[in-house]
Structures are given as structure tokens and as C-alpha cells.
Amino acid sequence: MSRSTMPKEISSSTQPPLLKGSAALSEQRSARWRPGLAAEGAEVRHSEVFASGHEASGTAAALALALDQWRGEETRRKSDPLAEHDDQRAILWVQDRAAIKANGRPYRPGLPEELRHRIIHVVTEKPEDALFALEEGVRCRDLIFVIGEIAGNPRALDFTASRRLSLAAERHGVPLWLVRFDAGHDLSSARMRWDVRSAPSPAPQWNAAAPGAPSLHAELFRARTHPPGQWILRDDGHSLTAIRPQIATRNRTITADNDEHSEPQDLSAYSVDLARPTVGRSLAAL
């Protein structure tokens, strides 16, 4: 009997389906996160944002990331000639009392214009009730996305509860962005977990006395499909931009060294349209 010989290389067309799937998953996991991934069909249905309760950076980041994902889905939906072109769905916003005490309520005039008339606001006395409202929200396909705000590490938000939220959000296709104020990194099944804090704004282009564009330092410390990384996030009302912290620091240093008539080096990365009110602890600093 003659011994069979194995081919030296196996082409992609002849790879078993399991190997093809493994290669695709490996390639996806090695790709860095960037804005606009939802337009490529890479949506994440359950994310957590950790932030201090003394600033609105956590909620602002959750809103900016949720809007970026929604815009990507809108781009894909409008490219479908059979899809409805008028999206009138609402947004569910759930807060427990501790989160309201730490960071205040949503301030509609400070929200992005396309969201102001869509908010369904729910206030709960306890985290258990907030988790119930969040799970009911992600089961409703008539919602664009759900935002939750919970303070600390309540016992009710254990891994089992987190797993229930992940499964419900992925089964029904409704994204959940859960903001955790003053909380530790406990066990969770969230697909993406962020640490967020406020960041120095870039110098304005025309008026040196004006505040700069709101900026957020976001660190992706755990993700199912992307390696960890850090970015400076800015939302100009139309799109989300993300640049590496080293580039943002270098541009700010160059601008400070120039005279008052000079322009920032990376004008394409942010806008100076700051016509948004900020009142107290509102969410206007998006």
C-alpha cells in the first residue's frame, strides 16, 4: 500500500468551514476599534462605561458611542431599497436614585437634536428595578437603544444579571449602554467595557477665550472582538472622531507654542461648533 502525501499548503477555498471561521474571528479580534464599525455590520449589543460620578463624561461617552452605532446602522438601512426610510423609534433612558443624585437627570435642550423628542425617561428607586426596566427595554424592538445609569456595585448587578442583559440585547437586537458611576471592575458579560474621563479640549480656531470642543479620554480595557486601546473621542454633532492620545497631546502643544493667529494642526479631527448650552450637571458636554 502506498502512503498518501499531504499537500504543503491548503488554499482558503479548500479550508474546512471550522478553519475559515477561526481565521475570520482571529482577523476580527486583531482589528482595532474605530468609529463607524456599525456601518460594516460589527455592532455590539451590550457595553459598559465606567466613569466618575462627579462629571458627565460617562453618560456623554455612552451617548456618543450609541449615536455612532446608530448612524452606522442608519447608513446600512438607507442603502436597502426595501427598508423604511423614516425611523421614528424612541430611546429608553433608565436611572436609579443613586445615579440621579450623583450625576443629575437628562437635560433635553443639551442633548443632540435628533434625540430630544425620543427620550423615554424611567426613574427607579432601587438597582433591582433599574435592571428590570433595562431588560424589558432591550426586549423591545421599537427602541433605537437603551441607556442605563447605575451607581456603585450593587449586589443585584452580578454576572448572572449581566448575562441576562447581554442575551436579551443580542437576541432582540437592541443595544444597551450601561453607565457605571464610581464602580469597580466587577464580573460582567458586557462585550465592550470602557473607562472614560474628561480630557483637555483643543484650542478653538477663531476665539482663544472660547471653550474648546468637548473631549473624552476613553480606554477600551476589555472587548470580545478588539484589542485594548485608548482614544480621545469628540462628537461634532454629525460624526464621532477618535484619535490617539499622543497625537492629540502633540497637536495641543504645537498650537500652544504658536501665536494667536495660528490654526490647530488637526482641524479635520474635530469641529469648533460649540453652540450647545451647558447648565449645571447637564449632559450638554457631549
Side-chain angles (χ1 to χ4, degrees), residues 3-22:
R3 180 176 297 177
S4 61
T5 57
M6 295 292 293
K8 293 182 179 179
E9 295 183 355
I10 300 177
S11 64
S12 59
S13 59
T14 59
Q15 285 183 352
L18 182 60
L19 293 180
K20 286 184 178 179
S22 300

Side-chain angles (χ1 to χ4, degrees), residues 135-256:
E135 187 171 342
E136 290 299 307
V138 296
R139 292 177 183 274
C140 181
R141 298 177 188 272
D142 289 331
L143 296 175
I144 299 175
F145 54 79
V146 177
I147 288 182
E149 295 182 15
I150 293 179
N153 295 84
R155 181 177 299 179
L157 185 53
D158 55 10
F159 184 79
T160 301
S162 177
R163 180 69 173 165
R164 287 176 60 91
L165 291 175
S166 296
L167 293 178
E170 292 174 352
R171 180 176 302 168
H172 299 277
V174 179
L176 167 63
W177 298 88
L178 182 57
V179 184
R180 308 282 305 274
F181 292 123
D182 301 325
H185 294 173
D186 50 5
L187 290 177
S188 172
S189 67
R191 307 312 187 197
M192 298 182 77
R193 308 186 84 187
W194 297 83
D195 267 329
V196 174
R197 65 178 186 272
S198 58
S201 299
Q205 182 178 3
W206 306 113
N207 184 359
S215 302
L216 302 168
H217 182 282
E219 178 182 1
L220 180 65
F221 66 90
R222 179 184 179 276
R224 190 177 187 182
T225 55
H226 305 289
Q230 299 183 37
W231 294 269
I232 299 296
L233 303 181
R234 297 181 185 123
D235 190 321
D236 62 1
H238 304 284
S239 63
L240 177 67
T241 60
I243 57 178
R244 307 294 290 179
Q246 298 85 352
I247 298 176
T249 302
R250 185 170 65 246
N251 288 342
R252 190 166 59 250
T253 303
I254 293 173
T255 303

Side-chain angles (χ1 to χ4, degrees), residues 95-100 105 122-130:
Q95 295 179 295
D96 65 0
R97 286 292 182 189
I100 292 178
R105 297 169 180 264
V122 174
V123 178
T124 66
E125 295 296 331
K126 299 180 295 184
E128 291 85 346
D129 299 331

Side-chain angles (χ1 to χ4, degrees), residues 35-87:
L37 282 177
E40 304 172 9
E43 304 95 340
V44 174
R45 300 303 183 190
H46 182 195
S47 301
E48 287 186 339
V49 179
F50 291 81
S52 169
H54 300 288
E55 57 183 41
S57 58
T59 309
L63 268 177
L65 294 169
L67 273 175
D68 175 68
Q69 184 162 316
W70 180 42
R71 289 165 183 151
E73 294 175 353
E74 279 289 282
T75 302
R76 287 197 302 152
R77 188 177 63 84
K78 290 180 179 179
S79 63
D80 184 359
L82 300 179
E84 297 181 359
H85 291 282
D86 190 15
D87 187 358

